[in-house]
PDB file of all heavy atoms in Angstrom:
ATOM      1  N   ALA A   1      -9.524  -6.798   7.765  1.00  0.00           N
ATOM      2  CA  ALA A   1      -8.092  -6.521   7.769  1.00  0.00           C
ATOM      3  C   ALA A   1      -7.853  -5.033   8.048  1.00  0.00           C
ATOM      4  O   ALA A   1      -8.770  -4.231   8.066  1.00  0.00           O
ATOM      5  CB  ALA A   1      -7.435  -6.844   6.426  1.00  0.00           C
ATOM      6  N   THR A   2      -6.608  -4.695   8.305  1.00  0.00           N
ATOM      7  CA  THR A   2      -6.174  -3.342   8.307  1.00  0.00           C
ATOM      8  C   THR A   2      -5.735  -2.975   6.887  1.00  0.00           C
ATOM      9  O   THR A   2      -4.981  -3.676   6.230  1.00  0.00           O
ATOM     10  CB  THR A   2      -5.023  -3.125   9.278  1.00  0.00           C
ATOM     11  OG1 THR A   2      -5.440  -3.393  10.589  1.00  0.00           O
ATOM     12  CG2 THR A   2      -4.543  -1.660   9.241  1.00  0.00           C
ATOM     13  N   TYR A   3      -6.302  -1.876   6.351  1.00  0.00           N
ATOM     14  CA  TYR A   3      -6.036  -1.409   5.020  1.00  0.00           C
ATOM     15  C   TYR A   3      -5.068  -0.275   4.990  1.00  0.00           C
ATOM     16  O   TYR A   3      -5.270   0.728   5.715  1.00  0.00           O
ATOM     17  CB  TYR A   3      -7.352  -1.058   4.357  1.00  0.00           C
ATOM     18  CG  TYR A   3      -8.202  -2.218   3.927  1.00  0.00           C
ATOM     19  CD1 TYR A   3      -8.835  -3.037   4.900  1.00  0.00           C
ATOM     20  CD2 TYR A   3      -8.333  -2.572   2.589  1.00  0.00           C
ATOM     21  CE1 TYR A   3      -9.533  -4.134   4.520  1.00  0.00           C
ATOM     22  CE2 TYR A   3      -9.059  -3.684   2.232  1.00  0.00           C
ATOM     23  CZ  TYR A   3      -9.700  -4.454   3.155  1.00  0.00           C
ATOM     24  OH  TYR A   3     -10.433  -5.537   2.791  1.00  0.00           O
ATOM     25  N   TYR A   4      -4.095  -0.387   4.170  1.00  0.00           N
ATOM     26  CA  TYR A   4      -3.001   0.587   4.084  1.00  0.00           C
ATOM     27  C   TYR A   4      -2.927   1.286   2.742  1.00  0.00           C
ATOM     28  O   TYR A   4      -2.942   0.584   1.698  1.00  0.00           O
ATOM     29  CB  TYR A   4      -1.635  -0.039   4.391  1.00  0.00           C
ATOM     30  CG  TYR A   4      -1.460  -0.630   5.702  1.00  0.00           C
ATOM     31  CD1 TYR A   4      -1.778  -1.979   5.959  1.00  0.00           C
ATOM     32  CD2 TYR A   4      -1.013   0.136   6.788  1.00  0.00           C
ATOM     33  CE1 TYR A   4      -1.645  -2.525   7.220  1.00  0.00           C
ATOM     34  CE2 TYR A   4      -0.834  -0.438   8.050  1.00  0.00           C
ATOM     35  CZ  TYR A   4      -1.164  -1.728   8.274  1.00  0.00           C
ATOM     36  OH  TYR A   4      -1.025  -2.315   9.540  1.00  0.00           O
ATOM     37  N   CYS A   5      -2.837   2.538   2.709  1.00  0.00           N
ATOM     38  CA  CYS A   5      -2.463   3.299   1.526  1.00  0.00           C
ATOM     39  C   CYS A   5      -0.987   3.309   1.342  1.00  0.00           C
ATOM     40  O   CYS A   5      -0.207   3.420   2.303  1.00  0.00           O
ATOM     41  CB  CYS A   5      -3.006   4.746   1.687  1.00  0.00           C
ATOM     42  SG  CYS A   5      -2.618   5.808   0.300  1.00  0.00           S
ATOM     43  N   ALA A   6      -0.524   3.115   0.091  1.00  0.00           N
ATOM     44  CA  ALA A   6       0.955   3.056  -0.214  1.00  0.00           C
ATOM     45  C   ALA A   6       1.228   3.816  -1.466  1.00  0.00           C
ATOM     46  O   ALA A   6       0.348   3.963  -2.321  1.00  0.00           O
ATOM     47  CB  ALA A   6       1.380   1.664  -0.280  1.00  0.00           C
ATOM     48  N   ALA A   7       2.455   4.256  -1.628  1.00  0.00           N
ATOM     49  CA  ALA A   7       2.891   4.939  -2.838  1.00  0.00           C
ATOM     50  C   ALA A   7       4.321   4.633  -3.185  1.00  0.00           C
ATOM     51  O   ALA A   7       5.143   4.379  -2.326  1.00  0.00           O
ATOM     52  CB  ALA A   7       2.738   6.457  -2.636  1.00  0.00           C
ATOM     53  N   ARG A   8       4.636   4.641  -4.459  1.00  0.00           N
ATOM     54  CA  ARG A   8       5.965   4.496  -4.977  1.00  0.00           C
ATOM     55  C   ARG A   8       6.536   5.853  -5.374  1.00  0.00           C
ATOM     56  O   ARG A   8       5.760   6.773  -5.606  1.00  0.00           O
ATOM     57  CB  ARG A   8       6.037   3.641  -6.237  1.00  0.00           C
ATOM     58  CG  ARG A   8       5.712   2.163  -6.066  1.00  0.00           C
ATOM     59  CD  ARG A   8       6.125   1.366  -7.330  1.00  0.00           C
ATOM     60  NE  ARG A   8       7.525   1.066  -7.350  1.00  0.00           N
ATOM     61  CZ  ARG A   8       8.245   0.852  -8.451  1.00  0.00           C
ATOM     62  NH1 ARG A   8       7.676   0.945  -9.654  1.00  0.00           N
ATOM     63  NH2 ARG A   8       9.518   0.516  -8.377  1.00  0.00           N
ATOM     64  N   ARG A   9       7.834   5.990  -5.417  1.00  0.00           N
ATOM     65  CA  ARG A   9       8.503   7.184  -5.906  1.00  0.00           C
ATOM     66  C   ARG A   9       8.469   7.317  -7.404  1.00  0.00           C
ATOM     67  O   ARG A   9       8.867   8.310  -7.959  1.00  0.00           O
ATOM     68  CB  ARG A   9       9.936   7.218  -5.438  1.00  0.00           C
ATOM     69  CG  ARG A   9      10.077   7.391  -3.932  1.00  0.00           C
ATOM     70  CD  ARG A   9      11.562   7.381  -3.566  1.00  0.00           C
ATOM     71  NE  ARG A   9      12.174   6.083  -3.859  1.00  0.00           N
ATOM     72  CZ  ARG A   9      13.484   5.842  -3.820  1.00  0.00           C
ATOM     73  NH1 ARG A   9      14.326   6.802  -3.497  1.00  0.00           N
ATOM     74  NH2 ARG A   9      13.923   4.603  -4.071  1.00  0.00           N
ATOM     75  N   PHE A  10       7.919   6.283  -8.075  1.00  0.00           N
ATOM     76  CA  PHE A  10       7.958   6.169  -9.499  1.00  0.00           C
ATOM     77  C   PHE A  10       6.555   6.197 -10.072  1.00  0.00           C
ATOM     78  O   PHE A  10       5.589   5.873  -9.397  1.00  0.00           O
ATOM     79  CB  PHE A  10       8.711   4.900  -9.960  1.00  0.00           C
ATOM     80  CG  PHE A  10      10.043   4.781  -9.304  1.00  0.00           C
ATOM     81  CD1 PHE A  10      10.203   3.947  -8.223  1.00  0.00           C
ATOM     82  CD2 PHE A  10      11.128   5.534  -9.707  1.00  0.00           C
ATOM     83  CE1 PHE A  10      11.439   3.782  -7.586  1.00  0.00           C
ATOM     84  CE2 PHE A  10      12.375   5.404  -9.151  1.00  0.00           C
ATOM     85  CZ  PHE A  10      12.472   4.552  -8.079  1.00  0.00           C
ATOM     86  N   PRO A  11       6.398   6.542 -11.364  1.00  0.00           N
ATOM     87  CA  PRO A  11       5.038   6.691 -11.937  1.00  0.00           C
ATOM     88  C   PRO A  11       4.261   5.415 -12.161  1.00  0.00           C
ATOM     89  O   PRO A  11       3.039   5.428 -12.163  1.00  0.00           O
ATOM     90  CB  PRO A  11       5.256   7.454 -13.239  1.00  0.00           C
ATOM     91  CG  PRO A  11       6.703   7.123 -13.598  1.00  0.00           C
ATOM     92  CD  PRO A  11       7.408   7.000 -12.317  1.00  0.00           C
ATOM     93  N   TYR A  12       5.002   4.329 -12.363  1.00  0.00           N
ATOM     94  CA  TYR A  12       4.315   3.040 -12.723  1.00  0.00           C
ATOM     95  C   TYR A  12       4.535   2.009 -11.647  1.00  0.00           C
ATOM     96  O   TYR A  12       5.545   2.061 -10.877  1.00  0.00           O
ATOM     97  CB  TYR A  12       4.775   2.576 -14.077  1.00  0.00           C
ATOM     98  CG  TYR A  12       4.443   3.579 -15.140  1.00  0.00           C
ATOM     99  CD1 TYR A  12       5.425   4.406 -15.707  1.00  0.00           C
ATOM    100  CD2 TYR A  12       3.178   3.759 -15.529  1.00  0.00           C
ATOM    101  CE1 TYR A  12       5.112   5.379 -16.614  1.00  0.00           C
ATOM    102  CE2 TYR A  12       2.813   4.756 -16.524  1.00  0.00           C
ATOM    103  CZ  TYR A  12       3.813   5.539 -17.015  1.00  0.00           C
ATOM    104  OH  TYR A  12       3.506   6.518 -17.990  1.00  0.00           O
ATOM    105  N   CYS A  13       3.649   1.070 -11.581  1.00  0.00           N
ATOM    106  CA  CYS A  13       3.543   0.163 -10.423  1.00  0.00           C
ATOM    107  C   CYS A  13       4.264  -1.162 -10.581  1.00  0.00           C
ATOM    108  O   CYS A  13       4.372  -1.684 -11.691  1.00  0.00           O
ATOM    109  CB  CYS A  13       2.108  -0.130 -10.119  1.00  0.00           C
ATOM    110  SG  CYS A  13       1.072   1.276  -9.689  1.00  0.00           S
ATOM    111  N   ARG A  14       4.766  -1.680  -9.476  1.00  0.00           N
ATOM    112  CA  ARG A  14       5.044  -3.054  -9.264  1.00  0.00           C
ATOM    113  C   ARG A  14       4.028  -3.483  -8.167  1.00  0.00           C
ATOM    114  O   ARG A  14       3.462  -2.655  -7.486  1.00  0.00           O
ATOM    115  CB  ARG A  14       6.467  -3.311  -8.846  1.00  0.00           C
ATOM    116  CG  ARG A  14       7.481  -3.015  -9.936  1.00  0.00           C
ATOM    117  CD  ARG A  14       8.885  -3.166  -9.469  1.00  0.00           C
ATOM    118  NE  ARG A  14       9.195  -4.502  -9.003  1.00  0.00           N
ATOM    119  CZ  ARG A  14      10.295  -4.893  -8.463  1.00  0.00           C
ATOM    120  NH1 ARG A  14      11.310  -4.035  -8.274  1.00  0.00           N
ATOM    121  NH2 ARG A  14      10.476  -6.172  -8.075  1.00  0.00           N
ATOM    122  N   TYR A  15       3.863  -4.795  -8.030  1.00  0.00           N
ATOM    123  CA  TYR A  15       2.733  -5.262  -7.271  1.00  0.00           C
ATOM    124  C   TYR A  15       3.101  -5.920  -5.936  1.00  0.00           C
ATOM    125  O   TYR A  15       2.224  -6.532  -5.275  1.00  0.00           O
ATOM    126  CB  TYR A  15       1.878  -6.197  -8.092  1.00  0.00           C
ATOM    127  CG  TYR A  15       1.456  -5.590  -9.392  1.00  0.00           C
ATOM    128  CD1 TYR A  15       1.605  -6.221 -10.593  1.00  0.00           C
ATOM    129  CD2 TYR A  15       0.855  -4.320  -9.386  1.00  0.00           C
ATOM    130  CE1 TYR A  15       1.209  -5.653 -11.786  1.00  0.00           C
ATOM    131  CE2 TYR A  15       0.513  -3.694 -10.558  1.00  0.00           C
ATOM    132  CZ  TYR A  15       0.623  -4.378 -11.782  1.00  0.00           C
ATOM    133  OH  TYR A  15       0.260  -3.810 -12.973  1.00  0.00           O
ATOM    134  N   ASP A  16       4.330  -5.778  -5.491  1.00  0.00           N
ATOM    135  CA  ASP A  16       4.769  -6.345  -4.213  1.00  0.00           C
ATOM    136  C   ASP A  16       4.966  -5.210  -3.160  1.00  0.00           C
ATOM    137  O   ASP A  16       5.294  -4.053  -3.537  1.00  0.00           O
ATOM    138  CB  ASP A  16       6.094  -7.094  -4.380  1.00  0.00           C
ATOM    139  CG  ASP A  16       7.161  -6.238  -4.983  1.00  0.00           C
ATOM    140  OD1 ASP A  16       6.927  -5.563  -6.013  1.00  0.00           O
ATOM    141  OD2 ASP A  16       8.310  -6.247  -4.467  1.00  0.00           O
ATOM    142  N   ALA A  17       4.826  -5.529  -1.910  1.00  0.00           N
ATOM    143  CA  ALA A  17       4.930  -4.542  -0.875  1.00  0.00           C
ATOM    144  C   ALA A  17       6.283  -3.959  -0.826  1.00  0.00           C
ATOM    145  O   ALA A  17       6.433  -2.736  -0.459  1.00  0.00           O
ATOM    146  CB  ALA A  17       4.536  -5.258   0.504  1.00  0.00           C
ATOM    147  N   ALA A  18       7.302  -4.690  -1.113  1.00  0.00           N
ATOM    148  CA  ALA A  18       8.642  -4.205  -1.012  1.00  0.00           C
ATOM    149  C   ALA A  18       8.961  -3.063  -2.023  1.00  0.00           C
ATOM    150  O   ALA A  18       9.905  -2.289  -1.859  1.00  0.00           O
ATOM    151  CB  ALA A  18       9.670  -5.338  -1.236  1.00  0.00           C
ATOM    152  N   SER A  19       8.181  -2.962  -3.062  1.00  0.00           N
ATOM    153  CA  SER A  19       8.377  -1.924  -4.087  1.00  0.00           C
ATOM    154  C   SER A  19       7.824  -0.578  -3.672  1.00  0.00           C
ATOM    155  O   SER A  19       8.109   0.436  -4.304  1.00  0.00           O
ATOM    156  CB  SER A  19       7.732  -2.359  -5.366  1.00  0.00           C
ATOM    157  OG  SER A  19       6.325  -2.301  -5.313  1.00  0.00           O
ATOM    158  N   MET A  20       6.993  -0.574  -2.652  1.00  0.00           N
ATOM    159  CA  MET A  20       6.366   0.670  -2.199  1.00  0.00           C
ATOM    160  C   MET A  20       7.290   1.489  -1.265  1.00  0.00           C
ATOM    161  O   MET A  20       8.025   0.872  -0.446  1.00  0.00           O
ATOM    162  CB  MET A  20       5.080   0.382  -1.468  1.00  0.00           C
ATOM    163  CG  MET A  20       4.129  -0.527  -2.287  1.00  0.00           C
ATOM    164  SD  MET A  20       3.812  -0.090  -3.999  1.00  0.00           S
ATOM    165  CE  MET A  20       2.920   1.418  -3.782  1.00  0.00           C
ATOM    166  N   ASP A  21       7.321   2.797  -1.421  1.00  0.00           N
ATOM    167  CA  ASP A  21       8.265   3.629  -0.662  1.00  0.00           C
ATOM    168  C   ASP A  21       7.622   4.303   0.522  1.00  0.00           C
ATOM    169  O   ASP A  21       8.321   4.673   1.471  1.00  0.00           O
ATOM    170  CB  ASP A  21       8.883   4.656  -1.587  1.00  0.00           C
ATOM    171  CG  ASP A  21       9.658   4.007  -2.686  1.00  0.00           C
ATOM    172  OD1 ASP A  21      10.692   3.334  -2.366  1.00  0.00           O
ATOM    173  OD2 ASP A  21       9.299   4.160  -3.878  1.00  0.00           O
ATOM    174  N   TYR A  22       6.333   4.544   0.459  1.00  0.00           N
ATOM    175  CA  TYR A  22       5.663   5.277   1.551  1.00  0.00           C
ATOM    176  C   TYR A  22       4.365   4.533   1.935  1.00  0.00           C
ATOM    177  O   TYR A  22       3.712   3.973   1.100  1.00  0.00           O
ATOM    178  CB  TYR A  22       5.329   6.710   1.050  1.00  0.00           C
ATOM    179  CG  TYR A  22       6.528   7.440   0.545  1.00  0.00           C
ATOM    180  CD1 TYR A  22       6.715   7.598  -0.814  1.00  0.00           C
ATOM    181  CD2 TYR A  22       7.423   7.979   1.436  1.00  0.00           C
ATOM    182  CE1 TYR A  22       7.803   8.284  -1.302  1.00  0.00           C
ATOM    183  CE2 TYR A  22       8.565   8.672   0.955  1.00  0.00           C
ATOM    184  CZ  TYR A  22       8.724   8.832  -0.443  1.00  0.00           C
ATOM    185  OH  TYR A  22       9.844   9.458  -0.873  1.00  0.00           O
ATOM    186  N   TRP A  23       4.051   4.649   3.195  1.00  0.00           N
ATOM    187  CA  TRP A  23       2.909   3.962   3.782  1.00  0.00           C
ATOM    188  C   TRP A  23       2.119   4.839   4.707  1.00  0.00           C
ATOM    189  O   TRP A  23       2.707   5.622   5.493  1.00  0.00           O
ATOM    190  CB  TRP A  23       3.352   2.699   4.557  1.00  0.00           C
ATOM    191  CG  TRP A  23       3.967   1.669   3.713  1.00  0.00           C
ATOM    192  CD1 TRP A  23       5.288   1.579   3.393  1.00  0.00           C
ATOM    193  CD2 TRP A  23       3.326   0.570   3.053  1.00  0.00           C
ATOM    194  NE1 TRP A  23       5.471   0.452   2.586  1.00  0.00           N
ATOM    195  CE2 TRP A  23       4.337  -0.161   2.378  1.00  0.00           C
ATOM    196  CE3 TRP A  23       2.049   0.167   3.004  1.00  0.00           C
ATOM    197  CZ2 TRP A  23       4.057  -1.294   1.623  1.00  0.00           C
ATOM    198  CZ3 TRP A  23       1.732  -0.982   2.243  1.00  0.00           C
ATOM    199  CH2 TRP A  23       2.717  -1.682   1.568  1.00  0.00           C
ATOM    200  N   GLY A  24       0.775   4.689   4.710  1.00  0.00           N
ATOM    201  CA  GLY A  24       0.006   5.273   5.737  1.00  0.00           C
ATOM    202  C   GLY A  24      -0.001   4.390   6.937  1.00  0.00           C
ATOM    203  O   GLY A  24       0.559   3.312   7.011  1.00  0.00           O
ATOM    204  N   LYS A  25      -0.683   4.868   7.992  1.00  0.00           N
ATOM    205  CA  LYS A  25      -0.738   4.172   9.255  1.00  0.00           C
ATOM    206  C   LYS A  25      -1.795   3.064   9.249  1.00  0.00           C
ATOM    207  O   LYS A  25      -1.754   2.202  10.131  1.00  0.00           O
ATOM    208  CB  LYS A  25      -0.986   5.140  10.386  1.00  0.00           C
ATOM    209  CG  LYS A  25       0.184   6.034  10.659  1.00  0.00           C
ATOM    210  CD  LYS A  25      -0.141   7.103  11.748  1.00  0.00           C
ATOM    211  CE  LYS A  25      -1.106   8.156  11.200  1.00  0.00           C
ATOM    212  NZ  LYS A  25      -1.291   9.259  12.130  1.00  0.00           N
ATOM    213  N   GLY A  26      -2.746   3.071   8.336  1.00  0.00           N
ATOM    214  CA  GLY A  26      -3.714   2.009   8.196  1.00  0.00           C
ATOM    215  C   GLY A  26      -5.079   2.423   8.813  1.00  0.00           C
ATOM    216  O   GLY A  26      -5.120   3.237   9.676  1.00  0.00           O
ATOM    217  N   THR A  27      -6.129   1.793   8.270  1.00  0.00           N
ATOM    218  CA  THR A  27      -7.469   1.945   8.830  1.00  0.00           C
ATOM    219  C   THR A  27      -8.120   0.600   8.892  1.00  0.00           C
ATOM    220  O   THR A  27      -8.016  -0.226   7.974  1.00  0.00           O
ATOM    221  CB  THR A  27      -8.286   2.948   7.967  1.00  0.00           C
ATOM    222  OG1 THR A  27      -9.546   3.193   8.635  1.00  0.00           O
ATOM    223  CG2 THR A  27      -8.469   2.451   6.548  1.00  0.00           C
ATOM    224  N   LEU A  28      -8.780   0.302  10.002  1.00  0.00           N
ATOM    225  CA  LEU A  28      -9.323  -1.090  10.241  1.00  0.00           C
ATOM    226  C   LEU A  28     -10.673  -1.202   9.606  1.00  0.00           C
ATOM    227  O   LEU A  28     -11.563  -0.368   9.775  1.00  0.00           O
ATOM    228  CB  LEU A  28      -9.389  -1.344  11.746  1.00  0.00           C
ATOM    229  CG  LEU A  28      -9.920  -2.734  12.198  1.00  0.00           C
ATOM    230  CD1 LEU A  28      -8.994  -3.784  11.623  1.00  0.00           C
ATOM    231  CD2 LEU A  28     -10.056  -2.778  13.693  1.00  0.00           C
ATOM    232  N   VAL A  29     -10.851  -2.330   8.865  1.00  0.00           N
ATOM    233  CA  VAL A  29     -12.120  -2.710   8.315  1.00  0.00           C
ATOM    234  C   VAL A  29     -12.524  -4.053   8.877  1.00  0.00           C
ATOM    235  O   VAL A  29     -11.760  -5.048   8.803  1.00  0.00           O
ATOM    236  CB  VAL A  29     -12.021  -2.787   6.778  1.00  0.00           C
ATOM    237  CG1 VAL A  29     -13.285  -3.390   6.171  1.00  0.00           C
ATOM    238  CG2 VAL A  29     -11.798  -1.402   6.147  1.00  0.00           C
ATOM    239  N   THR A  30     -13.745  -4.108   9.475  1.00  0.00           N
ATOM    240  CA  THR A  30     -14.232  -5.344  10.065  1.00  0.00           C
ATOM    241  C   THR A  30     -15.543  -5.702   9.392  1.00  0.00           C
ATOM    242  O   THR A  30     -16.506  -4.914   9.471  1.00  0.00           O
ATOM    243  CB  THR A  30     -14.391  -5.205  11.589  1.00  0.00           C
ATOM    244  OG1 THR A  30     -13.121  -4.855  12.195  1.00  0.00           O
ATOM    245  CG2 THR A  30     -14.867  -6.533  12.196  1.00  0.00           C
ATOM    246  N   ILE A  31     -15.653  -6.890   8.870  1.00  0.00           N
ATOM    247  CA  ILE A  31     -16.877  -7.357   8.206  1.00  0.00           C
ATOM    248  C   ILE A  31     -17.467  -8.513   9.026  1.00  0.00           C
ATOM    249  O   ILE A  31     -16.836  -9.530   9.188  1.00  0.00           O
ATOM    250  CB  ILE A  31     -16.629  -7.807   6.730  1.00  0.00           C
ATOM    251  CG1 ILE A  31     -15.792  -6.779   6.000  1.00  0.00           C
ATOM    252  CG2 ILE A  31     -17.943  -8.093   6.066  1.00  0.00           C
ATOM    253  CD1 ILE A  31     -16.431  -5.406   5.962  1.00  0.00           C
ATOM    254  N   SER A  32     -18.693  -8.362   9.497  1.00  0.00           N
ATOM    255  CA  SER A  32     -19.390  -9.359  10.278  1.00  0.00           C
ATOM    256  C   SER A  32     -20.280 -10.181   9.411  1.00  0.00           C
ATOM    257  O   SER A  32     -20.857  -9.667   8.444  1.00  0.00           O
ATOM    258  CB  SER A  32     -20.104  -8.705  11.468  1.00  0.00           C
ATOM    259  OG  SER A  32     -21.084  -7.846  11.018  1.00  0.00           O
ATOM    260  N   SER A  33     -20.583 -11.386   9.854  1.00  0.00           N
ATOM    261  CA  SER A  33     -21.482 -12.272   9.155  1.00  0.00           C
ATOM    262  C   SER A  33     -22.711 -12.589   9.988  1.00  0.00           C
ATOM    263  O   SER A  33     -23.734 -13.087   9.479  1.00  0.00           O
ATOM    264  CB  SER A  33     -20.777 -13.592   8.790  1.00  0.00           C
ATOM    265  OG  SER A  33     -20.306 -14.239   9.936  1.00  0.00           O
TER     266      SER A  33
END
């Protein structure tokens, strides 16, 4: 998947994407079998 760093403006977390205020651009991780 593409992995994204995210942050809220608040000290404690909620666990949904909509609660996050800031996002990185993402970094791709590929796992082969």
Side-chain angles (χ1 to χ4, degrees):
T2 298
Y3 284 70
Y4 297 91
C5 177
R8 293 191 83 205
R9 294 178 294 170
F10 309 102
Y12 301 104
C13 298
R14 293 176 61 184
Y15 305 131
D16 57 313
S19 73
M20 311 308 292
D21 298 296
Y22 307 102
W23 296 88
K25 290 174 288 187
T27 185
L28 180 63
V29 171
T30 302
I31 312 303
S32 61
S33 60

